[in-house]
């Protein structure tokens, strides 16, 4: 007996909607749709004298519970372009992975370093096509032949080009730090310190952000990904006795 | 009623010293009525790779069948078993493909990679991967499991000690959850 469906055919890529009818029927019968893991985040970027600095916290939430205390929100796009993602975790990961592969193919075809505006256009077109249902809010930054660039991308596909930007649930806390202390022509150390301070503001004042600070510094010809640059929330409440169960304690 | 609480489930995986443990409860219910007390939620992909699927039981079984199918084809083509990291990406892609009409399952993948290094990861129902170095939990009892594992876990445990720890964490958490229980099924590799 053959099963009609996508099992035997190779997938053509893109989304498949074959479970939608069943899910709509379940919803009509009263079952509530589940929530997805969000990154409930603070992500920031700023342009300094020699390039851009991106920063992010590391907490992934599933409703009120912390699902991952140390997740990576700064995604690789190209050796000279990185992207921070807020919103639904699966969407930010999938969309950044997809655009990153497209950029690599483009690099092979053109034999040139990728430009930030290329990544920007690819992202905004994809997100606009899905009319905001792909819930990814991104801070895209990089340095290419035309200089340093920093952009924000919203889930519906609109973009802004800014000297400093924040996104996510902690964006207000981080923006307050930037608005008071940002000036043009910061040095690398000042840039990193300001980004770390903005993320810390998000971590301590926003409930959806927490744990550690990740920083990424992109300059012409060099990128440094400082994973866990600061750990302002170390685990200090470890019980020294710990739990130990004797062998055979758990019965058959 | 919530869709994840229709059948009830609890799955947890922990990393030990050159080994891993994956455990699940055994209850299958239809909301508050128990229908089976020996339901299997942890499935074998190959000798060193297991997947536990919590959430809606029918989607768990369908998803396992799809994944076993894909892995068998992979074995035929590549003449070897899939690495856990690769398998995790496969599951993530399969779930994200159904982004707007998802499978109501939260997988936990546990395996031994190169040089028998343990690998565990979990995902939400649309494939957002979360790698962890210590433990991963999912299911209706996940909140209690987070608490139990956070306190009971120690790094680099030997297989016997890991068995005790994961069993106690699972049993104490499902005791605080009406929708999961009726014993546990623990696998140490």
């Amino acid at each position: 007996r053959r099963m009609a469906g996508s099992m035997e055919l190779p997938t053509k890529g893109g989304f498949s909607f074959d479970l939608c009818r069943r899910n709509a029927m379940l919803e009509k019968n009263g079952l509530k749709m589940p929530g997805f893991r969000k990154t409930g985040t603070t992500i920031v970027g700023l342009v300094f004298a020699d390039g851009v600095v991106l920063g992010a916290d590391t907490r992934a939430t599933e409703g009120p519970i912390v699902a991952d205390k140390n997740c990576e929100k700064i995604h690789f796009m190209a050796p000279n372009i990185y992207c921070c993602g807020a919103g639904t975790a699966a969407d930010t990961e999938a969309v950044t992975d997809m655009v990153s592969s497209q950029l690599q193919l483009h690099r092979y075809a053109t034999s040139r370093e990728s430009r930030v505006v290329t990544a920007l256009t690819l992202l905004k077109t994809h997100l606009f096509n899905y009319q905001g249902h792909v819930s990814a809010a991104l801070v895209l930054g990089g340095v290419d032949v035309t200089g340093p660039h920093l952009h924000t991308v919203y889930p519906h596909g609109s973009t802004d080009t800014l000297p400093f930007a924040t996104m996510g649930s902690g964006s207000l806390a981080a923006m307050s730090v930037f608005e008071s202390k940002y000036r043009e022509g910061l040095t690398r150390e000042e840039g990193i310190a300001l980004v770390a301070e903005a993320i810390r503001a998000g971590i301590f004042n926003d409930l959806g952000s927490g744990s550690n600070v990740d920083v990424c510094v992109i300059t012409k010809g060099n990128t440094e990904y400082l994973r866990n640059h600061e750990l302002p929330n170390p685990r200090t409440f470890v019980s020294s006795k710990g739990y130990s169960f004797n062998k055979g304690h758990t019965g058959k | 009623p919530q869709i994840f609480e229709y059948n009830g489930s609890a799955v947890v995986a922990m990393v030990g010293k050159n080994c891993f443990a994956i455990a699940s409860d055994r209850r299958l219910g239809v909301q508050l009525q128990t229908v089976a007390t020996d339901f299997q939620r942890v499935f074998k992909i190959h000798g060193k790779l297991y997947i536990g699927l919590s959430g809606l039981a029918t989607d768990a079984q369908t998803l396992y069948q799809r994944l076993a199918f894909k892995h068998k084809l992979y074995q035929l083509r590549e003449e070897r078993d899939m690495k856990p990291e690769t398998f995790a990406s496969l599951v993530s892609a399969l779930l994200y493909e159904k982004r707007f009409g998802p499978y109501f399952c939260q997988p936990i993948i546990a395996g031994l990679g190169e040089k028998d290094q343990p690998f565990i990861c979990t995902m939400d129902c649309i494939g957002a991967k979360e790698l962890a170095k210590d433990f991963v939990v999912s299911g209706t009892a996940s909140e209690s499991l987070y608490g139990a594992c956070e306190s009971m876990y120690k790094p680099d445990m030997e297989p016997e000690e890991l068995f005790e720890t994961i069993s106690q964490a699972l049993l104490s958490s499902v005791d605080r959850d009406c929708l999961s229980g009726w014993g546990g099924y623990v696998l140490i590799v």
Side-chain angles (χ1 to χ4, degrees):
Chain A
R1 207 194 308 153
R2 264 177 80 85
M3 198 175 84
S6 57
M7 275 294 269
E8 282 84 359
L9 296 165
T11 44
K12 290 191 288 250
F15 293 122
S16 123
F17 295 95
D18 50 343
L19 289 178
C20 286
R21 243 169 124 199
R22 173 200 78 153
N23 290 2
M25 181 273 289
L26 287 169
E27 242 181 306
K28 205 159 65 112
N29 286 348
L31 286 166
K32 283 199 278 277
M33 283 292 282
F36 305 133
R37 184 174 304 143
K38 296 191 161 287
T39 52
T41 301
T42 309
I43 48 174
V44 305
L46 63 70
V47 177
F48 71 104
D50 309 319
V52 302
V53 184
L54 300 173
D57 74 306
T58 59
R59 175 183 283 184
T61 52
E62 202 160 348
I65 306 290
V66 177
D68 193 351
K69 292 185 276 192
N70 202 4
C71 73
E72 283 188 31
K73 298 187 194 180
I74 305 186
H75 307 283
F76 171 89
M77 296 285 251
N80 57 323
I81 307 174
Y82 274 73
C83 184
C84 308
T88 304
D91 287 334
T92 56
E93 276 186 41
V95 93
T96 49
D97 278 348
M98 188 191 75
V99 172
S100 169
S101 327
Q102 288 179 335
L103 282 177
Q104 182 154 53
L105 288 169
H106 192 251
R107 276 202 296 283
Y108 287 141
T110 57
S111 310
R112 283 185 177 80
E113 195 186 49
S114 297
R115 299 192 187 193
V116 183
V117 285
T118 319
L120 184 69
T121 312
L122 289 168
L123 285 166
K124 70 186 331 188
T125 332
H126 180 83
L127 293 173
F128 181 75
N129 281 340
Y130 286 97
Q131 286 291 294
H133 289 287
V134 174
S135 173
L138 311 164
V139 169
L140 175 73
V143 179
D144 55 32
V145 287
T146 51
H149 296 277
L150 181 70
H151 304 281
T152 49
V153 187
Y154 291 85
H156 286 263
S158 62
T159 59
D160 285 321
T161 308
L162 300 160
F164 57 93
T166 66
M167 292 282 257
S169 55
S171 61
L172 275 67
M175 189 52 100
S176 64
V177 172
F178 274 171
E179 286 286 7
S180 358
K181 298 192 181 170
Y182 180 82
R183 49 187 171 77
E184 284 188 17
L186 290 163
T187 65
R188 186 201 148 90
E189 286 69 31
E190 287 173 340
I192 296 177
L194 188 56
V195 159
E197 204 184 328
I199 299 288
R200 274 202 311 278
I203 286 176
F204 292 119
N205 298 110
D206 173 42
L207 301 177
S209 315
S211 303
N212 317 121
V213 182
D214 280 352
V215 174
C216 185
V217 188
I218 309 173
T219 50
K220 192 170 172 60
N222 183 40
T223 307
E224 254 188 85
Y225 184 18
L226 304 165
R227 170 84 169 134
N228 286 0
H229 174 65
E230 277 180 21
L231 293 101
N233 293 303
R235 192 180 169 185
T236 49
F237 46 86
V238 188
S239 148
S240 49
K241 225 167 53 158
Y243 281 88
S244 54
F245 301 105
N246 295 325
K247 193 172 154 192
H249 182 78
T250 310
K252 195 80 177 66
Chain B
Q2 293 273 22
I3 203 149
F4 273 110
E5 288 161 18
Y6 190 75
N7 291 127
S9 53
V11 187
V12 58
M14 274 193 193
V15 164
K17 196 174 170 94
N18 294 331
C19 62
F20 69 84
I22 183 165
S24 76
D25 74 316
R26 305 200 316 178
R27 177 186 179 272
L28 175 72
V30 170
Q31 294 182 303
L32 289 178
Q33 184 184 42
T34 303
V35 170
T37 56
D38 56 358
F39 189 67
Q40 191 192 6
R41 286 197 173 87
V42 175
F43 302 101
K44 176 170 148 176
I45 301 290
H46 64 77
K48 289 185 181 172
L49 181 57
Y50 285 78
I51 180 165
L53 291 158
S54 67
L56 198 63
T58 167
D59 278 350
Q61 288 183 331
T62 306
L63 198 59
Y64 164 65
Q65 285 167 4
R66 292 220 147 143
L67 289 166
F69 171 79
K70 293 209 171 198
H71 183 255
K72 280 182 196 160
L73 278 180
Y74 183 91
Q75 272 177 324
L76 287 171
R77 287 196 191 109
E78 303 255 336
E79 291 179 357
R80 64 179 177 88
D81 289 329
M82 218 187 242
K83 281 195 277 219
E85 293 86 357
T86 317
F87 186 70
S89 298
L90 173 69
V91 181
S92 177
L94 204 63
L95 293 172
Y96 194 71
E97 200 187 6
K98 303 266 185 285
R99 165 69 171 86
F100 298 115
Y103 287 113
F104 297 118
C105 270
Q106 279 167 321
I108 282 189
I109 293 153
L112 290 176
E114 311 256 311
K115 302 189 183 69
D116 285 350
Q117 278 289 81
F119 170 88
I120 49 172
C121 95
T122 183
M123 282 166 219
D124 68 351
C125 63
I126 43 176
K129 254 190 290 189
E130 183 214 310
L131 310 168
K133 296 200 181 73
D134 39 16
F135 58 86
V136 288
V137 303
S138 90
T140 48
S142 61
E143 294 181 14
S144 314
L145 277 166
Y146 272 125
C149 290
E150 192 77 56
S151 12
M152 294 184 199
Y153 178 81
K154 282 189 299 232
D156 285 334
M157 280 187 280
E158 294 292 326
E160 286 94 24
E161 205 191 341
L162 187 65
F163 169 75
E164 298 292 337
T165 310
I166 199 174
S167 318
Q168 289 297 319
L170 180 73
L171 291 172
S172 46
S173 307
V174 304
D175 279 348
R176 281 288 184 181
D177 176 32
C178 341
L179 298 166
S180 45
W182 282 100
Y185 172 72
V186 183
L187 241 128
I188 313 273
V189 178

